[in-house]
Amino acid sequence: MEGMTDQAVRPETDIPGKPTSASRTTLSHIMSGSDTNLLGTVHGGVIMKLVDDAAGAVAGRHSGGPAVTASMDEMVFLEPVRVGDLVHVKAQVNWTGRSSMEVGVRVLAERWNESTPAQQVGSAYLVFAAVDAEGRPRPVPTVIPETERDKRRYQEAQIRRTHRLARRRAIMELREKRAADGIDD
């Protein structure tokens, strides 16, 4: 991948890069009755909390300190999760900026008492910002993709970042235009 080497260093800070595998993690949890919604399946908010927990652990590991959730770019629920399911939340850093990181998360579920393969039930992309003790942004190591899958995830994360920035810019331009036209929302 252009510009990425095994010895990548963030030039402005001399922080050595870290491979994707250095902070990758899996969080597993058995879903219980207290996790359910009115339909009797696991509440989406419970899954979202597990996703944020796993992603936060990965962001903190990669950045070497505190990191806060800046945004959840996308959360997709593919299948319902049921009471008794063993849920595995797999997270890794896909891309890094100066102080931000995109963490990709896959959610899998399997019956706790069966030996059937886990099924993907969701996915998410979150952006985290590394912060210092005063809550100000701090630099993070460059992520070094190791596999072809890691390289694909890195490239896809760059596309998502470009879209996030373009969307933010377009919304701000619209708001400025509406304000200039005297439209008070």
Side-chain angles (χ1 to χ4, degrees):
M1 177 173 233
E2 189 177 314
M4 302 302 290
T5 67
D6 289 345
Q7 303 300 317
V9 172
R10 184 158 305 283
E12 62 273 16
T13 62
D14 293 330
I15 299 173
K18 288 185 179 180
T20 306
S21 61
S23 57
R24 186 180 290 139
T25 195
T26 300
L27 176 88
S28 297
H29 189 78
I30 294 178
M31 298 291 101
S32 68
S34 64
D35 298 321
T36 60
N37 58 27
L38 295 174
L39 299 175
T41 57
V42 172
H43 194 287
V46 171
I47 300 300
M48 291 173 76
K49 172 137 180 26
L50 293 172
V51 164
D52 192 45
D53 287 347
V58 166
R61 281 181 176 182
H62 183 82
S63 68
V68 296
T69 310
S71 70
M72 180 177 275
D73 198 43
E74 182 177 314
M75 177 77 212
V76 178
F77 297 99
L78 302 170
E79 296 288 334
V81 177
R82 304 195 185 315
V83 170
D85 281 355
L86 178 57
V87 172
H88 306 288
V89 183
K90 298 177 176 281
Q92 74 172 49
V93 173
N94 290 336
W95 176 90
T96 54
R98 282 187 304 274
S99 62
S100 64
M101 301 157 275
E102 183 196 89
V103 179
V105 182
R106 288 180 51 225
V107 183
L108 303 129
E110 61 180 304
R111 297 303 299 170
W112 67 273
N113 60 348
E114 297 175 9
S115 59
T116 56
Q119 175 184 10
Q120 185 170 351
V121 295
S123 65
Y125 299 101
L126 296 88
V127 177
F128 280 78
V131 294
D132 63 17
E134 286 77 43
R136 291 186 303 255
R138 63 181 175 79
V140 299
T142 300
V143 67
I144 304 168
E146 298 173 281
T147 67
E148 286 306 313
R149 178 180 279 183
D150 293 342
K151 291 174 185 176
R152 175 185 53 79
R153 288 178 175 165
Y154 184 92
Q155 292 168 330
E156 290 172 357
Q158 288 178 305
I159 293 168
R160 282 187 292 275
R161 180 176 187 272
T162 299
H163 287 214
R164 277 192 303 275
L165 294 174
R167 182 177 61 232
R168 182 181 307 148
R169 210 171 21 255
I171 289 170
M172 294 309 295
E173 288 171 5
L174 175 64
R175 289 179 181 175
E176 289 169 7
K177 182 184 181 319
R178 289 177 60 84
D181 291 344
I183 300 171
D184 184 24
D185 291 331

